[in-house]
Amino acid sequence: MAGCMGNMETTPMSNHEAKGAAGLKLVREQIRKACAAAGREEQEVTLVAVSKTHGADVIRPVLDAGQRVFGENRVQEAQAKWPALREDYPDVKLHLIGPLQTNKARQAVALFDVIHTVDRPKLAHVLAKEMDRQGRHLPVFIQVNTGEEPQKAGVAPQDADAFIAQCRTEHGLDVIGLMCIPPVNEEPAPHFALLEKIALRNGLDKLSMGMSGDFDTAIRLGATHVRVGSAIFGGRDYASG
Ligand SMILES: *Cc1c(COP(=O)(O)O)cnc(C)c1O
């Protein structure tokens, strides 16, 4: 990292590009501190760098700084960006963190390494079939709508146990954990705690929770995967993205 920071003065890198590497360093430091405060090992927490809306020019410096796990929320956008980047960084792992339509399942299974957003029987069924067809049995998280928000994806907390069982036994999916996105205007901690409770009683030990504003709280409450975008890359410009 020291060499990378030194390079920033001598190489023609725009501020926006340089920001990613600096942001990554800060976020990693914050993760280290949160783990120490929670008495957890740093290796227990995977940083998923959320690169949605950002182009390859912004992502490359973060790859060069050593980050290898990235999250995208749209299949088509990821398909347009990552195959070329992967030629240069073949050990990249891509996580799908956005809602998945069944008609994109084929592309998603081919492109991604982990899917965080399995949330309904039809999707579980189509994904399982597609994984069998492609011989790619990806680990998946079940998304739980902990705030029971009508507009939000995710299985309702009271339906989670049955859905998890169905994904495992009926569809043979490799369910490794649970994911949630707390309501924007609420304390995230109770949502993280609820997610952990549901995971525990279903024998799941991976928790995908925590974003730029609350990943330290999530780590305190057991997150194993934090999905951090703007704290690394800066704000997203949807108008031009
Ligand atoms: C965009 C996104 C993130 C990252 O959000 P930031 O606040 O930028 O860290 C995390 N999770 C999901 C599901 C997202 O869509």
Side-chain angles (χ1 to χ4, degrees), residues 1-8 20-26 28 61-62 64-66:
M1 282 306 291
C4 174
M5 300 303 283
N7 282 344
M8 279 161 57
L24 176 68
K25 194 178 178 201
L26 288 174
R28 280 192 178 152
V62 174
D64 288 335

Side-chain angles (χ1 to χ4, degrees), residues 15-24 27 47-63 67 69-72 81-82 212 228-237:
N15 278 341
H16 195 190
E17 290 164 17
K19 191 191 261 173
L24 176 68
V27 167
L47 171 59
V48 181
V50 178
S51 49
K52 66 189 187 196
T53 77
H54 297 294
D57 53 334
V58 176
I59 298 171
R60 271 182 197 277
V62 174
L63 284 158
Q67 179 66 23
V69 182
F70 289 84
E72 291 280 348
K81 287 193 307 209
W82 281 98
S212 290
V228 181
S230 47
I232 296 173
F233 294 101
R236 288 179 288 271
D237 182 358

Side-chain angles (χ1 to χ4, degrees), residues 2-173:
C4 174
M5 300 303 283
N7 282 344
M8 279 161 57
E9 286 145 44
T10 51
T11 56
M13 205 185 243
S14 79
N15 278 341
H16 195 190
E17 290 164 17
K19 191 191 261 173
L24 176 68
K25 194 178 178 201
L26 288 174
V27 167
R28 280 192 178 152
E29 258 163 37
Q30 231 178 310
I31 289 174
R32 196 172 308 133
K33 282 185 190 151
C35 285
R40 300 184 59 198
E41 297 293 330
E42 207 188 320
Q43 310 88 268
E44 289 173 36
V45 179
T46 299
L47 171 59
V48 181
V50 178
S51 49
K52 66 189 187 196
T53 77
H54 297 294
D57 53 334
V58 176
I59 298 171
R60 271 182 197 277
V62 174
L63 284 158
D64 288 335
Q67 179 66 23
R68 285 296 179 272
V69 182
F70 289 84
E72 291 280 348
N73 70 334
R74 287 164 186 239
V75 177
Q76 247 140 354
E77 183 189 336
Q79 183 68 55
K81 287 193 307 209
W82 281 98
L85 284 168
R86 268 187 165 152
E87 287 183 18
D88 296 334
Y89 306 89
D91 53 344
V92 155
K93 297 292 179 201
L94 269 191
H95 291 226
L96 177 64
I97 61 167
L100 178 56
Q101 293 167 269
T102 50
N103 64 5
K104 305 252 172 63
R106 180 158 300 180
Q107 253 187 311
V109 168
L111 180 67
F112 288 93
D113 300 290
V114 183
I115 296 175
H116 289 233
T117 49
V118 178
D119 67 346
R120 55 198 192 279
K122 172 118 191 279
L123 178 60
H125 171 72
V126 172
L127 274 177
K129 261 193 6 198
E130 204 44 60
M131 289 182 193
D132 283 344
R133 204 185 68 89
Q134 298 186 32
R136 271 176 67 77
H137 293 94
L138 310 183
V140 303
F141 289 82
I142 306 295
Q143 183 174 355
V144 182
N145 186 357
T146 56
E148 302 184 55
E149 297 171 279
Q151 83 286 5
K152 196 167 269 178
V155 62
Q158 64 272 20
D159 300 331
D161 296 2
F163 182 58
I164 293 163
Q166 183 186 19
C167 285
R168 285 167 154 167
T169 57
E170 197 174 309
H171 303 300
L173 288 174

